[in-house]
């Protein structure tokens, strides 16, 4: 009978790497107090010896599962979020964690958080762009489970990471005003979304602060068709406008198609400015001027913030606000004095 192969231990890994087994243990437990070169030697030795750590023993020793969970609330469309999930998974891996993904509704959020706790995850990142909930209620639902929102939620004093939507919208509107536009239409995201409401309100307020009346507006979802249909409705009002602010590059592509169908040239007849700076923005005709949201930075920061909270139980919860920038391309132009407004 063939002799059963002896199971590799962390002491074997330590000998292979030429370090103490305590250092190997610190690497396995995600301890940050290990030099990067040492960590790489441990990982290489583990690979050479085909070492598989005992996860159960690690959990008992550290009271950590090394698992995070991303809970997505009330999201139907895909959009850029597939890339965001990948970014968060990579950030979690780099921090020594695995990432689970759960989709739920606002009605079942409490159950989703209870299930996360039952799975012994160490903490949760939540993406819930339409969730209006008090800090007190959310803390009650979390029941001690560490959580970071990947949303811009200016009404919340809990932990969140998000791009300043008021700043972004004001920057977009004021750029169009600087170009000479005085009649500016808007296709904001649904006002049921936190971002949609903030952008719609800021668009109106910024124009009025400059002594201008808002142009025609119609909300839309984050799809090509919705942007197209919103622009059709705006054109049907026959209200004049020389520029339109659109809630995403995807929506803008649909809106641009509607403008082209009506014989309107971009940007000579209508300037178009959108949000996101998705890859498609530089390939539209003409290429889109857009507000650049560096989503990968936001995704990575949300994970890193959660890990910081896990490593420092005394950390005071705060908000990490990101500021976008403007990417100017050919879908906007400076108005001539004698410009004829779209009717």
């Amino acid at each position: 009978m063939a002799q059963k192969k002896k199971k590799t231990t962390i002491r074997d890994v330590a000998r292979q790497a030429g370090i103490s087994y305590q250092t190997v243990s610190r690497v396995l437990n995600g301890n940050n107090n290990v030099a990067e070169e040492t960590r790489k030697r441990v990982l290489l030795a583990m690979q050479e010896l085909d070492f598989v750590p005992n996860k159960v023993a690690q959990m008992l020793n550290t009271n950590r599962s090394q698992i995070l969970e991303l809970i997505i609330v009330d999201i139907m469309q895909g959009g850029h979020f597939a890339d965001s999930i990948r970014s968060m998974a990579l950030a979690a891996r780099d921090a020594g964690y695995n990432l689970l993904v759960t989709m739920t509704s606002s009605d079942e959020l409490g159950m989703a958080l209870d299930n996360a706790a039952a799975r012994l995850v160490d903490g949760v990142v939540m993406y819930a762009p339409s969730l209006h909930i008090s800090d007190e209620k959310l803390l009650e639902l979390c029941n001690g489970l560490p959580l970071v929102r990947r949303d811009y939620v200016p009404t919340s004093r809990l932990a969140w990471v998000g791009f300043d939507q008021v700043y972004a919208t004001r920057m977009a509107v004021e750029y169009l005003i600087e170009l000479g536009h005085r009649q500016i239409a808007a296709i904001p995201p649904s006002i049921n979304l936190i971002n949609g409401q903030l952008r719609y309100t800021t668009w109106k307020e910024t124009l009025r602060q400059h002594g201008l009346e808002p142009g025609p507006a119609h909300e839309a979802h984050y799809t090509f068709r919705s942007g197209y249909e919103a622009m059709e409705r705006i054109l049907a009002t026959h209200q004049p406008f020389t520029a339109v602010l659109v809630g995403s590059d995807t929506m803008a592509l649909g809106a641009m198609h509607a403008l082209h169908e009506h014989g309107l040239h971009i940007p000579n007849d209508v300037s178009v400015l959108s949000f996101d700076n998705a890859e498609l923005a530089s390939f539209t005709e003409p290429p889109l001027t857009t507000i650049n949201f560096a989503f990968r930075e936001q995704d990575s920061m949300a994970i890193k913030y959660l890990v910081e909270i896990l490593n420092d139980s005394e950390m005071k919860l705060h908000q990490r606000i990101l500021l976008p920038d403007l990417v100017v391309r050919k879908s906007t132009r400076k108005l001539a004095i004698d410009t004829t407004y779209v009717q």
Side-chain angles (χ1 to χ4, degrees):
M1 177 182 291
Q3 188 174 8
K4 186 176 180 180
K5 183 180 178 181
K6 183 182 177 182
K7 185 175 180 179
T8 304
T9 69
I10 66 170
R11 292 183 183 275
D12 297 323
V13 174
R15 280 193 292 270
Q16 181 80 358
I19 56 177
S20 70
Y21 77 89
Q22 292 93 339
T23 301
V24 175
S25 180
R26 285 197 293 271
V27 172
L28 292 174
N29 293 331
N31 191 311
N32 292 326
N33 192 28
V34 178
E36 181 61 21
E37 184 170 334
T38 301
R39 190 180 72 86
K40 289 180 179 178
R41 283 167 57 194
V42 171
L43 295 177
L44 178 61
M46 288 170 58
Q47 183 179 5
E48 291 172 343
L49 297 174
D50 197 23
F51 173 73
V52 179
N54 187 325
K55 292 293 183 183
V56 174
Q58 282 182 261
M59 286 181 63
L60 292 173
N61 185 46
T62 65
N63 202 29
R64 294 279 186 89
S65 66
Q66 297 305 118
I67 298 173
L68 307 178
E69 186 160 344
L70 168 63
I71 297 181
I72 305 168
V73 185
D74 292 330
I75 297 294
M76 296 302 165
Q77 69 278 354
H80 66 82
F81 208 66
D83 288 337
S84 286
I85 292 174
R86 181 176 183 274
S87 297
M88 282 188 256
L90 290 174
R93 184 198 66 183
D94 290 345
Y97 290 82
N98 291 311
L99 184 72
L100 300 178
V101 180
T102 295
M103 297 189 69
T104 190
S105 66
S106 54
D107 292 338
E108 296 182 343
L109 176 58
M111 184 184 300
L113 288 166
D114 287 345
N115 290 338
R119 282 191 284 269
L120 302 179
V121 303
D122 295 329
V124 167
V125 171
M126 183 173 71
Y127 178 56
S130 62
L131 180 67
H132 298 267
I133 187 172
S134 69
D135 288 350
E136 294 73 20
K137 181 62 176 178
L138 185 54
L139 286 171
E140 179 186 336
L141 293 178
C142 288
N143 195 26
L145 186 64
L147 180 142
V148 172
R149 289 189 70 167
R150 182 205 172 275
D151 298 301
Y152 179 70
V153 198
T155 59
S156 174
R157 300 277 65 86
L158 300 181
W160 55 260
V161 176
F163 279 96
D164 189 327
Q165 300 297 314
V166 174
Y167 173 90
T169 306
R170 184 174 290 124
M171 176 169 56
V173 174
E174 290 185 341
Y175 176 71
L176 292 173
I177 292 173
E178 288 173 9
L179 292 179
H181 296 279
R182 298 295 179 266
Q183 293 171 300
I184 301 172
I187 302 178
S190 169
I191 59 174
N192 291 328
L193 300 171
I194 297 171
N195 289 353
Q197 180 64 54
L198 289 169
R199 290 190 203 168
Y200 178 71
T201 301
T202 305
W203 163 73
K204 289 197 301 182
E205 289 178 348
T206 304
L207 287 172
R208 287 174 175 159
Q209 286 167 2
H210 286 267
L212 303 172
E213 282 301 309
H218 198 285
E219 67 180 69
H221 302 294
Y222 288 110
T223 65
F224 299 115
R225 178 169 293 279
S226 191
Y228 173 86
E229 292 174 349
M231 178 53 72
E232 285 286 337
R233 289 184 172 90
I234 286 175
L235 291 169
T237 68
H238 300 292
Q239 296 181 56
F241 64 97
T242 60
V244 60
L245 184 63
V246 188
S248 75
D249 301 327
T250 302
M251 293 156 63
L253 186 56
M256 292 166 75
H257 186 63
L259 290 169
H260 288 313
E261 285 189 341
H262 285 263
L264 297 170
H265 186 271
I266 303 168
N268 290 346
D269 297 317
V270 181
S271 286
V272 178
L273 194 157
S274 59
F275 294 80
D276 287 357
N277 195 29
E279 184 179 12
L280 67 86
S282 59
F283 292 95
T284 58
E285 184 53 47
L288 274 165
T289 295
T290 183
I291 299 294
N292 178 37
F293 292 139
F295 290 123
R296 290 181 182 176
E297 180 182 356
Q298 182 183 11
D299 302 331
S300 178
M301 186 177 291
I303 293 290
K304 290 177 180 177
Y305 186 10
L306 178 58
V307 172
E308 288 176 25
I309 292 171
L310 295 176
N311 290 333
D312 182 2
S313 60
E314 302 300 318
M315 177 181 288
K316 183 178 179 180
L317 299 184
H318 58 277
Q319 303 75 48
R320 298 187 176 179
I321 302 173
L322 303 171
L323 298 181
D325 54 3
L326 176 68
V327 179
V328 177
R329 298 192 180 98
K330 296 182 179 180
S331 67
T332 51
R333 76 177 184 102
K334 189 174 183 66
L335 283 189
I337 296 176
D338 61 348
T339 296
T340 301
Y341 289 91
V342 174
Q343 298 286 345

